[in-house]
Amino acid sequence: MEHDTHPAVRNKTFISVWAILVALTMASVGASSVHAGTASLLVPLLIATVKASLVLWFFMHLKYERALFKVMLLFPLGTLAVIMGLTFVDTWFR
Amino acid sequence: MSTSVASHHSDYTGAKIGMWLFLFTEILLFGGLFLLYAVYRAKSPAEFHEATKHLHLALGLSNTLILLTSSLTAALSVSAIRRGQKYWALWGIGVTVVLALAFLVNKYFEWKEHIGNGMFPGSPALTSLSHGENLFFGLYYTMTGLHGVHVLAGAALLCVVYVFVNREKVNQHSYSLLENACLFWHLVDLIWIYLFPLFYLVT
């Protein structure tokens, strides 16, 4: 049977990632209480993207996977970015 | 003889690629809904701003913390099975399922209150509000509802995996099922990471 080449991820790594995720969640709550127009929209979404990347990279083991998995993920994300981009070009400039 | 050889055949990497491909379809499914939210929000920012005030930050925040913690216990269970620690793996899966149910209980009380206040799609209280607020609540029910179905499916899947680990069908040498179930669970967490700021935070 084929196995992962890397050893099991240490518990300490996962617990640290979890602590950072909780801290970022609190930071996004704090940031949203400051009413600063567009920034109060963008900052929580940027924080969410950092959190999502941490989940993908550590919890979903992407860090430890071969390049194939990392490249594969770029396809749905790229597709989504293109669809979002083109739709907004239409929404803004119609 | 030949059937027993065939039944032992497995492709670890292939199974994982298959799971990721399925997760991609999920990303695009929710991606379409996020796109809908983005366009409607861009068209009626003031109404979305008003509608956000109907939601309780404390409930959204506690559900976020519940899901983040459940992702941790799911990740720990995969490491545990790989070290051959069956009981730690079972503990991790069990806690994840309990947290999934806690999330749904929270969601139940949240929806119950909205519906009790007459804030459900097509209700007189909601249709008397602006078009933008109706769109917000439509998206809120659709997106958190579809996400809730995924939480339920993930919890059910983890229950099945729990039985398999307990019977040692999933073990130190063959743990694809647990790993892939946890990948699904992390995706459910990932989607909520975006739902939380969009519905509870961006005011």
Side-chain angles (χ1 to χ4, degrees), chain B residues 103-190:
Chain B
F103 176 93
L104 289 173
V105 167
N106 242 345
K107 205 84 218 141
Y108 164 77
F109 283 113
E110 197 180 10
W111 278 33
K112 193 184 165 198
E113 202 203 318
H114 294 318
I115 293 168
N117 293 337
M119 299 293 277
F120 52 88
S123 73
L126 191 56
T127 43
S128 70
L129 297 177
S130 66
H131 185 56
E133 281 168 284
N134 275 280
L135 286 174
F136 178 91
F137 268 93
L139 285 167
Y140 166 74
Y141 278 114
T142 309
M143 293 174 82
T144 62
L146 186 62
H147 178 263
V149 171
H150 279 78
V151 171
L152 200 59
L157 179 62
L158 285 168
C159 286
V160 173
V161 178
Y162 186 97
V163 173
F164 275 68
V165 172
N166 198 33
R167 290 183 184 164
E168 295 179 14
K169 299 259 187 207
V170 169
N171 54 50
Q172 190 172 9
H173 308 292
S174 169
Y175 52 84
S176 270
L177 187 64
L178 175 61
E179 195 177 20
N180 290 338
C182 287
L183 277 179
F184 179 75
W185 188 254
H186 295 310
L187 186 90
V188 170
D189 183 28
L190 201 75

Coordinates of all heavy atoms in Angstrom, one line a residue, chain B residues 103-190:
Chain B
F103 N -23.0 23.1 16.7 CA -23.1 24.1 15.7 C -24.6 24.1 15.2 O -25.2 25.2 15.1 CB -22.2 23.8 14.5 CG -22.3 24.7 13.4 CD1 -21.5 25.9 13.3 CD2 -23.2 24.5 12.4 CE1 -21.6 26.7 12.2 CE2 -23.4 25.4 11.3 CZ -22.5 26.5 11.2
L104 N -25.1 22.9 14.9 CA -26.5 22.9 14.4 C -27.5 23.3 15.4 O -28.5 23.9 15.1 CB -26.8 21.4 13.9 CG -26.0 21.0 12.6 CD1 -26.2 19.6 12.3 CD2 -26.4 21.9 11.4
V105 N -27.3 23.0 16.7 CA -28.2 23.4 17.8 C -28.2 24.9 17.8 O -29.3 25.6 17.9 CB -27.8 22.8 19.1 CG1 -28.5 23.5 20.3 CG2 -28.1 21.3 19.1
N106 N -27.0 25.6 17.8 CA -26.9 27.0 17.7 C -27.7 27.6 16.6 O -28.4 28.6 16.7 CB -25.4 27.4 17.5 CG -24.9 28.2 18.7 OD1 -25.6 28.7 19.5 ND2 -23.6 28.3 18.8
K107 N -27.5 27.0 15.4 CA -28.2 27.4 14.2 C -29.7 27.3 14.3 O -30.4 28.2 13.9 CB -27.7 26.6 13.0 CG -27.7 27.2 11.7 CD -26.5 28.0 11.4 CE -26.9 29.3 10.7 NZ -26.2 30.5 11.1
Y108 N -30.1 26.2 15.0 CA -31.5 26.0 15.2 C -32.1 27.2 16.0 O -33.2 27.8 15.6 CB -31.8 24.7 15.9 CG -33.2 24.6 16.5 CD1 -34.3 24.3 15.7 CD2 -33.4 24.8 17.9 CE1 -35.6 24.2 16.2 CE2 -34.7 24.7 18.4 CZ -35.7 24.4 17.6 OH -37.0 24.3 18.1
F109 N -31.5 27.6 17.1 CA -32.0 28.7 17.9 C -32.0 30.0 17.2 O -32.9 30.8 17.3 CB -31.2 28.8 19.2 CG -31.6 27.7 20.2 CD1 -30.8 26.7 20.6 CD2 -32.9 27.7 20.7 CE1 -31.1 25.7 21.5 CE2 -33.3 26.7 21.6 CZ -32.4 25.7 22.0
E110 N -30.9 30.1 16.3 CA -30.8 31.4 15.6 C -32.0 31.5 14.6 O -32.7 32.5 14.5 CB -29.5 31.4 14.8 CG -29.0 32.7 14.4 CD -27.7 32.6 13.7 OE1 -27.2 31.5 13.4 OE2 -27.1 33.7 13.4
W111 N -32.2 30.5 13.8 CA -33.3 30.5 12.8 C -34.6 30.6 13.5 O -35.5 31.3 13.0 CB -33.2 29.2 11.9 CG -32.2 29.3 10.8 CD1 -31.0 29.9 10.8 CD2 -32.3 28.7 9.5 NE1 -30.4 29.8 9.6 CE2 -31.1 29.0 8.8 CE3 -33.3 27.9 8.9 CZ2 -30.9 28.6 7.5 CZ3 -33.0 27.4 7.6 CH2 -31.8 27.8 6.9
K112 N -34.8 29.9 14.6 CA -36.0 29.9 15.3 C -36.4 31.3 15.7 O -37.6 31.7 15.6 CB -35.9 29.0 16.6 CG -37.2 28.7 17.2 CD -37.0 27.9 18.5 CE -38.3 27.9 19.3 NZ -38.0 27.6 20.7
E113 N -35.4 32.1 16.1 CA -35.7 33.4 16.6 C -36.1 34.3 15.4 O -37.0 35.1 15.4 CB -34.5 34.0 17.3 CG -34.8 35.2 18.1 CD -33.7 36.1 18.4 OE1 -32.6 35.6 18.7 OE2 -33.9 37.4 18.4
H114 N -35.3 34.1 14.2 CA -35.7 34.9 13.0 C -37.1 34.6 12.6 O -37.9 35.5 12.3 CB -34.7 34.5 11.9 CG -33.3 34.9 12.1 ND1 -32.9 36.1 12.6 CD2 -32.2 34.2 11.8 CE1 -31.6 36.2 12.7 NE2 -31.1 35.0 12.2
I115 N -37.4 33.3 12.6 CA -38.7 32.9 12.1 C -39.8 33.4 13.1 O -40.9 33.9 12.7 CB -38.8 31.4 11.8 CG1 -37.9 31.1 10.6 CG2 -40.2 30.9 11.5 CD1 -37.6 29.6 10.4
G116 N -39.5 33.3 14.4 CA -40.4 33.8 15.4 C -40.7 35.3 15.3 O -41.8 35.8 15.5
N117 N -39.6 36.1 14.8 CA -39.8 37.5 14.6 C -40.5 37.8 13.2 O -40.6 38.9 12.8 CB -38.5 38.2 14.6 CG -37.9 38.2 16.0 OD1 -38.6 38.1 17.0 ND2 -36.5 38.4 16.1
G118 N -40.9 36.7 12.5 CA -41.5 36.9 11.2 C -40.6 37.2 10.1 O -41.0 37.6 9.0
M119 N -39.3 36.9 10.3 CA -38.3 37.2 9.3 C -37.9 36.0 8.5 O -36.9 35.4 8.7 CB -37.0 37.8 9.9 CG -37.2 39.1 10.6 SD -37.6 40.4 9.6 CE -36.0 40.9 9.0
F120 N -38.9 35.5 7.6 CA -38.5 34.4 6.8 C -39.0 34.8 5.4 O -39.8 35.7 5.2 CB -39.2 33.1 7.3 CG -40.7 33.2 7.5 CD1 -41.6 33.0 6.5 CD2 -41.2 33.6 8.8 CE1 -43.0 33.1 6.7 CE2 -42.5 33.7 9.0 CZ -43.4 33.4 8.0
P121 N -38.4 34.1 4.3 CA -38.7 34.5 3.0 C -40.2 34.6 2.7 O -40.9 33.6 3.0 CB -37.9 33.5 2.1 CG -36.8 33.0 3.0 CD -37.4 33.0 4.4
G122 N -40.6 35.7 2.1 CA -42.0 35.8 1.7 C -42.9 36.3 2.9 O -44.1 36.4 2.7
S123 N -42.4 36.4 4.1 CA -43.2 36.8 5.2 C -43.6 38.3 5.1 O -42.9 39.1 4.5 CB -42.5 36.6 6.5 OG -41.5 37.5 6.7
P124 N -44.8 38.7 5.7 CA -45.2 40.1 5.6 C -44.2 41.0 6.2 O -43.9 42.1 5.7 CB -46.5 40.1 6.4 CG -47.0 38.7 6.5 CD -45.7 37.8 6.4
A125 N -43.6 40.6 7.4 CA -42.6 41.5 8.0 C -41.4 41.7 7.1 O -40.9 42.9 7.1 CB -42.1 40.9 9.3
L126 N -41.0 40.7 6.4 CA -39.8 40.9 5.6 C -40.1 41.6 4.2 O -39.4 42.5 3.8 CB -39.2 39.5 5.3 CG -37.8 39.5 4.6 CD1 -36.8 40.3 5.4 CD2 -37.3 38.1 4.4
T127 N -41.2 41.2 3.6 CA -41.6 41.9 2.4 C -41.9 43.4 2.5 O -41.8 44.1 1.6 CB -42.7 41.2 1.6 OG1 -43.8 40.9 2.6 CG2 -42.3 39.9 1.0
S128 N -42.2 43.8 3.8 CA -42.5 45.2 4.0 C -41.2 46.0 4.0 O -41.2 47.2 3.9 CB -43.2 45.4 5.3 OG -42.4 45.1 6.4
L129 N -40.0 45.3 4.2 CA -38.7 45.9 4.2 C -38.3 46.2 2.7 O -38.9 45.8 1.8 CB -37.7 45.1 4.9 CG -38.0 44.9 6.4 CD1 -36.9 44.0 7.0 CD2 -38.0 46.2 7.2
S130 N -37.1 46.8 2.6 CA -36.6 47.1 1.3 C -36.2 45.8 0.5 O -36.0 44.7 1.0 CB -35.3 48.0 1.4 OG -34.3 47.2 2.0
H131 N -36.1 46.0 -0.9 CA -35.7 44.9 -1.7 C -34.4 44.3 -1.3 O -34.2 43.1 -1.3 CB -35.7 45.4 -3.2 CG -35.4 44.3 -4.2 ND1 -36.2 43.2 -4.3 CD2 -34.5 44.2 -5.1 CE1 -35.8 42.5 -5.3 NE2 -34.7 43.0 -5.8
G132 N -33.4 45.2 -1.0 CA -32.1 44.7 -0.6 C -32.1 43.9 0.6 O -31.3 42.9 0.7
E133 N -32.9 44.3 1.6 CA -33.0 43.5 2.8 C -33.6 42.1 2.6 O -33.2 41.1 3.2 CB -33.7 44.2 3.9 CG -32.9 45.3 4.6 CD -33.7 46.2 5.4 OE1 -34.4 47.1 4.9 OE2 -33.7 46.1 6.7
N134 N -34.5 42.0 1.6 CA -35.1 40.8 1.2 C -34.1 39.9 0.6 O -34.0 38.7 0.8 CB -36.3 41.0 0.3 CG -37.6 41.2 1.1 OD1 -38.2 40.3 1.5 ND2 -37.9 42.5 1.2
L135 N -33.3 40.5 -0.3 CA -32.2 39.7 -0.9 C -31.2 39.2 0.1 O -30.8 38.1 0.0 CB -31.4 40.6 -1.9 CG -32.2 41.0 -3.2 CD1 -31.4 42.0 -4.0 CD2 -32.4 39.7 -4.1
F136 N -30.9 40.1 1.1 CA -29.9 39.6 2.1 C -30.5 38.4 2.9 O -29.7 37.4 3.0 CB -29.7 40.8 3.1 CG -28.8 40.4 4.3 CD1 -27.4 40.6 4.2 CD2 -29.3 39.9 5.4 CE1 -26.6 40.3 5.2 CE2 -28.4 39.6 6.5 CZ -27.1 39.8 6.4
F137 N -31.7 38.5 3.3 CA -32.3 37.3 4.0 C -32.4 36.1 3.1 O -32.2 35.0 3.6 CB -33.6 37.7 4.7 CG -33.4 38.2 6.1 CD1 -33.2 39.6 6.4 CD2 -33.2 37.3 7.2 CE1 -33.0 40.0 7.6 CE2 -32.9 37.8 8.4 CZ -32.8 39.1 8.7
G138 N -32.8 36.3 1.9 CA -32.8 35.2 0.9 C -31.5 34.5 0.9 O -31.4 33.2 0.9
L139 N -30.4 35.3 0.7 CA -29.1 34.7 0.6 C -28.6 34.1 1.9 O -28.0 33.0 2.0 CB -28.1 35.8 0.2 CG -28.1 36.3 -1.2 CD1 -27.3 37.6 -1.4 CD2 -27.5 35.2 -2.1
Y140 N -29.0 34.8 3.0 CA -28.7 34.2 4.4 C -29.3 32.8 4.6 O -28.5 31.9 4.9 CB -29.2 35.2 5.4 CG -29.2 34.6 6.8 CD1 -28.0 34.5 7.5 CD2 -30.4 34.2 7.4 CE1 -28.0 34.0 8.8 CE2 -30.4 33.7 8.7 CZ -29.2 33.6 9.4 OH -29.2 33.0 10.7
Y141 N -30.5 32.7 4.3 CA -31.2 31.4 4.4 C -30.6 30.3 3.5 O -30.4 29.2 3.8 CB -32.7 31.5 4.3 CG -33.4 31.9 5.5 CD1 -34.0 33.2 5.6 CD2 -33.4 31.2 6.7 CE1 -34.7 33.6 6.8 CE2 -34.0 31.6 7.9 CZ -34.6 32.8 7.9 OH -35.2 33.2 9.0
T142 N -30.4 30.7 2.2 CA -29.9 29.8 1.2 C -28.4 29.3 1.6 O -28.1 28.1 1.6 CB -29.8 30.4 -0.2 OG1 -31.1 31.0 -0.4 CG2 -29.5 29.4 -1.2
M143 N -27.6 30.3 1.9 CA -26.2 30.0 2.0 C -25.9 29.3 3.4 O -25.2 28.3 3.4 CB -25.3 31.2 1.9 CG -25.3 31.8 0.5 SD -24.5 33.3 0.3 CE -22.8 32.8 0.1
T144 N -26.5 29.8 4.5 CA -26.3 29.1 5.8 C -27.0 27.8 5.8 O -26.6 26.8 6.4 CB -26.7 30.0 7.0 OG1 -28.0 30.3 6.9 CG2 -25.9 31.2 7.0
G145 N -28.2 27.7 5.0 CA -28.9 26.5 5.0 C -28.2 25.4 4.2 O -28.0 24.3 4.7
L146 N -27.6 25.8 3.1 CA -26.8 24.8 2.3 C -25.6 24.4 3.1 O -25.2 23.2 3.1 CB -26.4 25.4 0.9 CG -25.7 24.4 0.0 CD1 -26.6 23.3 -0.4 CD2 -25.3 25.2 -1.3
H147 N -25.0 25.3 3.8 CA -23.8 25.0 4.6 C -24.2 24.1 5.8 O -23.5 23.1 6.1 CB -23.2 26.3 5.2 CG -22.0 26.1 6.1 ND1 -22.2 26.0 7.5 CD2 -20.7 25.8 5.8 CE1 -21.0 25.8 8.0 NE2 -20.1 25.6 7.0
G148 N -25.4 24.3 6.4 CA -25.9 23.5 7.4 C -26.1 22.0 7.0 O -25.8 21.1 7.7
V149 N -26.6 21.9 5.7 CA -26.8 20.5 5.2 C -25.4 19.8 5.1 O -25.3 18.6 5.3 CB -27.4 20.6 3.8 CG1 -27.4 19.3 3.1 CG2 -28.9 21.1 3.9
H150 N -24.4 20.6 4.7 CA -23.0 20.1 4.6 C -22.5 19.7 6.0 O -21.8 18.7 6.1 CB -22.1 21.1 4.0 CG -22.2 21.1 2.5 ND1 -23.2 21.7 1.8 CD2 -21.4 20.5 1.5 CE1 -23.0 21.5 0.5 NE2 -21.9 20.8 0.3
V151 N -22.8 20.5 7.0 CA -22.4 20.1 8.4 C -23.0 18.8 8.8 O -22.4 17.9 9.3 CB -22.8 21.2 9.4 CG1 -22.6 20.8 10.8 CG2 -22.1 22.5 9.1
L152 N -24.3 18.7 8.5 CA -25.0 17.4 8.8 C -24.4 16.2 8.1 O -24.2 15.2 8.6 CB -26.5 17.6 8.4 CG -27.5 16.7 9.0 CD1 -27.5 16.8 10.6 CD2 -28.9 17.0 8.5
A153 N -24.1 16.4 6.8 CA -23.5 15.4 6.0 C -22.2 15.0 6.5 O -21.8 13.8 6.6 CB -23.4 15.8 4.5
G154 N -21.4 16.0 6.9 CA -20.0 15.8 7.4 C -20.1 15.0 8.7 O -19.3 14.1 8.9
A155 N -21.0 15.4 9.6 CA -21.2 14.7 10.9 C -21.6 13.2 10.6 O -21.0 12.3 11.3 CB -22.2 15.4 11.7
A156 N -22.5 13.0 9.7 CA -23.0 11.6 9.4 C -21.8 10.8 8.9 O -21.6 9.7 9.3 CB -24.1 11.7 8.4
L157 N -21.0 11.4 8.0 CA -19.8 10.7 7.4 C -18.8 10.4 8.5 O -18.3 9.2 8.5 CB -19.2 11.6 6.4 CG -17.9 11.1 5.6 CD1 -18.2 9.9 4.8 CD2 -17.4 12.2 4.7
L158 N -18.6 11.3 9.4 CA -17.6 11.1 10.5 C -18.1 10.0 11.4 O -17.3 9.2 12.0 CB -17.4 12.4 11.3 CG -16.4 13.3 10.5 CD1 -16.4 14.7 11.2 CD2 -15.0 12.8 10.4
C159 N -19.5 9.9 11.6 CA -20.0 8.8 12.4 C -19.7 7.4 11.8 O -19.3 6.5 12.5 CB -21.5 8.9 12.6 SG -22.0 10.2 13.7
V160 N -19.8 7.3 10.5 CA -19.5 6.1 9.8 C -18.0 5.8 10.0 O -17.7 4.6 10.3 CB -19.9 6.2 8.3 CG1 -19.4 5.0 7.5 CG2 -21.4 6.4 8.1
V161 N -17.2 6.8 9.8 CA -15.7 6.6 9.9 C -15.4 6.1 11.3 O -14.5 5.3 11.6 CB -15.0 7.9 9.6 CG1 -13.5 7.7 9.8 CG2 -15.2 8.3 8.1
Y162 N -16.1 6.7 12.3 CA -15.9 6.3 13.7 C -16.1 4.8 13.9 O -15.2 4.1 14.5 CB -16.9 7.1 14.6 CG -16.7 6.8 16.1 CD1 -16.0 7.8 16.9 CD2 -17.2 5.7 16.8 CE1 -15.8 7.6 18.2 CE2 -17.0 5.5 18.1 CZ -16.3 6.4 18.9 OH -16.1 6.2 20.2
V163 N -17.2 4.3 13.3 CA -17.4 2.8 13.4 C -16.3 2.0 12.7 O -15.8 1.0 13.3 CB -18.8 2.5 12.8 CG1 -19.0 1.0 12.7 CG2 -19.9 3.2 13.5
F164 N -15.8 2.5 11.6 CA -14.8 1.8 10.8 C -13.5 1.8 11.6 O -12.7 0.9 11.6 CB -14.6 2.5 9.5 CG -15.5 2.0 8.4 CD1 -16.8 2.2 8.4 CD2 -15.0 1.2 7.3 CE1 -17.7 1.7 7.5 CE2 -15.8 0.7 6.3 CZ -17.2 1.0 6.4
V165 N -13.2 3.0 12.3 CA -11.9 3.0 13.1 C -12.1 2.1 14.3 O -11.1 1.4 14.6 CB -11.7 4.5 13.6 CG1 -10.5 4.5 14.5 CG2 -11.4 5.4 12.4
N166 N -13.2 2.1 14.9 CA -13.5 1.2 16.1 C -13.3 -0.2 15.7 O -12.7 -1.0 16.5 CB -14.9 1.5 16.6 CG -15.0 1.0 18.0 OD1 -14.0 1.0 18.8 ND2 -16.2 0.6 18.4
R167 N -13.8 -0.6 14.5 CA -13.6 -2.0 14.0 C -12.3 -2.3 13.4 O -12.0 -3.3 12.9 CB -14.7 -2.3 13.0 CG -16.1 -2.4 13.6 CD -17.1 -2.8 12.6 NE -18.5 -2.7 13.1 CZ -19.5 -2.7 12.4 NH1 -19.4 -2.7 11.1 NH2 -20.8 -2.7 12.9
E168 N -11.4 -1.3 13.4 CA -10.1 -1.3 12.8 C -10.0 -1.6 11.4 O -9.1 -2.2 10.8 CB -9.2 -2.3 13.7 CG -9.0 -1.7 15.1 CD -8.2 -2.6 16.0 OE1 -7.5 -3.5 15.5 OE2 -8.2 -2.3 17.2
K169 N -11.1 -1.3 10.7 CA -11.1 -1.4 9.2 C -10.3 -0.2 8.7 O -9.7 -0.2 7.6 CB -12.6 -1.3 8.6 CG -13.5 -2.4 9.1 CD -13.6 -3.4 8.0 CE -14.6 -4.4 8.4 NZ -14.4 -5.7 7.8
V170 N -10.4 0.9 9.4 CA -9.5 2.1 9.2 C -8.5 2.0 10.3 O -8.8 2.0 11.4 CB -10.3 3.4 9.3 CG1 -9.4 4.6 9.3 CG2 -11.3 3.5 8.1
N171 N -7.2 1.9 9.8 CA -6.1 1.8 10.8 C -4.9 2.5 10.4 O -4.9 3.2 9.3 CB -5.9 0.3 11.0 CG -5.6 -0.4 9.7 OD1 -4.8 0.0 8.9 ND2 -6.3 -1.5 9.5
Q172 N -3.8 2.3 11.1 CA -2.5 2.9 10.8 C -2.1 2.7 9.4 O -1.4 3.6 8.9 CB -1.5 2.3 11.8 CG -0.2 3.1 11.8 CD 0.7 2.6 12.9 OE1 0.4 1.6 13.6 NE2 1.8 3.3 13.2
H173 N -2.4 1.6 8.8 CA -1.9 1.3 7.5 C -2.9 1.6 6.4 O -2.5 1.7 5.2 CB -1.6 -0.2 7.4 CG -0.7 -0.7 8.5 ND1 0.6 -0.2 8.6 CD2 -0.9 -1.4 9.6 CE1 1.2 -0.7 9.7 NE2 0.3 -1.4 10.3
S174 N -4.1 1.9 6.7 CA -5.1 2.2 5.7 C -6.1 3.2 6.3 O -7.0 2.9 7.0 CB -5.8 0.9 5.3 OG -7.0 1.2 4.5
Y175 N -5.8 4.5 6.1 CA -6.6 5.5 6.7 C -7.1 6.6 5.8 O -7.6 7.7 6.2 CB -5.7 6.3 7.8 CG -4.4 6.7 7.2 CD1 -4.3 8.0 6.6 CD2 -3.2 6.0 7.3 CE1 -3.1 8.4 6.0 CE2 -2.0 6.4 6.8 CZ -2.0 7.6 6.2 OH -0.8 8.1 5.6
S176 N -7.2 6.2 4.5 CA -7.7 7.1 3.4 C -9.1 7.6 3.8 O -9.4 8.8 3.6 CB -7.9 6.4 2.1 OG -6.7 6.5 1.4
L177 N -10.0 6.7 4.3 CA -11.4 7.1 4.6 C -11.4 8.2 5.6 O -12.1 9.2 5.5 CB -12.2 5.9 5.1 CG -13.7 6.1 5.2 CD1 -14.3 6.4 3.9 CD2 -14.3 4.9 5.9
L178 N -10.6 8.1 6.7 CA -10.6 9.1 7.7 C -10.0 10.4 7.2 O -10.6 11.5 7.4 CB -9.8 8.6 9.0 CG -9.6 9.6 10.1 CD1 -10.9 10.1 10.7 CD2 -8.7 9.1 11.2
E179 N -8.9 10.3 6.5 CA -8.3 11.5 6.0 C -9.2 12.2 5.0 O -9.3 13.5 5.1 CB -7.0 11.1 5.2 CG -6.0 12.2 5.0 CD -4.7 11.8 4.3 OE1 -4.7 10.7 3.8 OE2 -3.8 12.6 4.4
N180 N -9.9 11.5 4.1 CA -10.7 12.2 3.2 C -12.0 12.8 3.8 O -12.5 13.8 3.4 CB -11.1 11.2 2.0 CG -9.9 11.0 1.1 OD1 -8.9 11.8 1.1 ND2 -9.9 9.9 0.4
A181 N -12.5 12.0 4.8 CA -13.7 12.6 5.6 C -13.3 13.9 6.2 O -14.0 14.9 6.3 CB -14.2 11.6 6.6
C182 N -12.1 13.9 6.8 CA -11.6 15.1 7.5 C -11.4 16.2 6.4 O -11.6 17.4 6.7 CB -10.3 14.8 8.3 SG -10.7 13.9 9.7
L183 N -10.9 15.9 5.2 CA -10.8 16.9 4.2 C -12.1 17.6 3.9 O -12.2 18.8 3.8 CB -10.2 16.3 2.9 CG -8.7 16.1 2.8 CD1 -8.4 15.5 1.5 CD2 -8.0 17.4 2.9
F184 N -13.2 16.8 3.8 CA -14.5 17.3 3.6 C -14.9 18.2 4.8 O -15.4 19.3 4.6 CB -15.5 16.2 3.5 CG -16.9 16.7 3.3 CD1 -17.3 17.2 2.1 CD2 -17.9 16.6 4.3 CE1 -18.6 17.7 1.9 CE2 -19.1 17.1 4.2 CZ -19.5 17.6 2.9
W185 N -14.6 17.8 6.0 CA -14.9 18.5 7.2 C -14.2 19.9 7.2 O -14.8 20.9 7.6 CB -14.6 17.8 8.5 CG -15.2 18.5 9.6 CD1 -14.5 19.2 10.6 CD2 -16.6 18.7 9.9 NE1 -15.4 19.9 11.4 CE2 -16.6 19.5 11.0 CE3 -17.8 18.2 9.3 CZ2 -17.9 19.9 11.6 CZ3 -19.0 18.6 9.9 CH2 -19.0 19.5 11.0
H186 N -12.9 19.9 6.8 CA -12.2 21.2 6.8 C -12.8 22.1 5.7 O -12.8 23.3 5.9 CB -10.7 20.9 6.5 CG -10.0 20.2 7.5 ND1 -10.1 20.5 8.9 CD2 -9.2 19.0 7.5 CE1 -9.4 19.6 9.6 NE2 -8.9 18.7 8.7
L187 N -13.3 21.6 4.6 CA -13.9 22.4 3.6 C -15.2 23.1 4.2 O -15.4 24.3 3.9 CB -14.3 21.6 2.4 CG -14.8 22.6 1.3 CD1 -13.6 23.1 0.4 CD2 -15.9 22.0 0.5
V188 N -15.9 22.3 5.0 CA -17.1 22.9 5.6 C -16.7 24.1 6.5 O -17.4 25.1 6.5 CB -17.9 21.8 6.4 CG1 -19.0 22.4 7.3 CG2 -18.5 20.8 5.5
D189 N -15.6 23.9 7.2 CA -15.1 25.0 8.1 C -14.6 26.1 7.2 O -14.9 27.3 7.5 CB -13.9 24.4 8.9 CG -13.3 25.4 9.8 OD1 -14.0 26.3 10.3 OD2 -12.1 25.3 10.1
L190 N -14.0 25.8 6.1 CA -13.5 26.9 5.2 C -14.6 27.8 4.7 O -14.4 29.0 4.6 CB -12.8 26.1 4.0 CG -11.8 26.9 3.2 CD1 -10.5 27.0 3.9 CD2 -11.5 26.1 1.9

